Amino acid sequence: VENIILQNPTKSCLKFYNDLGIYTVCEDNKIYPMSKQANSVVDIFRAYLSQNKVDVLTKTEVLKVKKIQKFILMLLTSQHF
């Protein structure tokens, strides 16, 4: 699967978006959500992350990022900016 995604990232991304319910239109060689509303995309991504039990951290400084095989580990601090 990873090789297919790497060979055609745009097509793979569009399929992923479509599978989530984000339908797109192409105008002037640019891709937009059919709704033309960025918030609708954000809402769908938030729902997807929540369904997959992904924690989203805001106001958090990333101190270090390290890739180990297919996983990315980050050292974070919860200091507020």
Side-chain angles (χ1 to χ4, degrees), residues 28-42:
D28 300 322
N29 290 324
K30 296 177 184 169
I31 299 171
Y32 298 97
M34 194 174 285
S35 67
K36 302 284 177 96
Q37 298 293 316
N39 280 341
S40 63
V41 175
V42 171

Side-chain angles (χ1 to χ4, degrees), residues 29-68:
N29 290 324
K30 296 177 184 169
I31 299 171
Y32 298 97
M34 194 174 285
S35 67
K36 302 284 177 96
Q37 298 293 316
N39 280 341
S40 63
V41 175
V42 171
D43 291 342
I44 290 172
F45 282 157
R46 283 186 178 145
Y48 176 80
L49 294 171
S50 178
Q51 289 169 0
N52 289 280
K53 303 195 183 331
V54 174
D55 293 326
V56 177
L57 305 176
T58 60
K59 297 182 181 177
T60 303
E61 181 181 5
V62 177
L63 300 176
K64 184 177 181 180
V65 177
K66 184 176 181 181
K67 182 176 180 183
I68 300 175

Side-chain angles (χ1 to χ4, degrees), residues 15-28:
K15 180 179 179 345
F16 176 71
Y17 298 155
N18 193 272
D19 290 347
L20 289 177
I22 301 171
Y23 302 103
T24 58
V25 293
C26 184
E27 295 177 7
D28 300 322

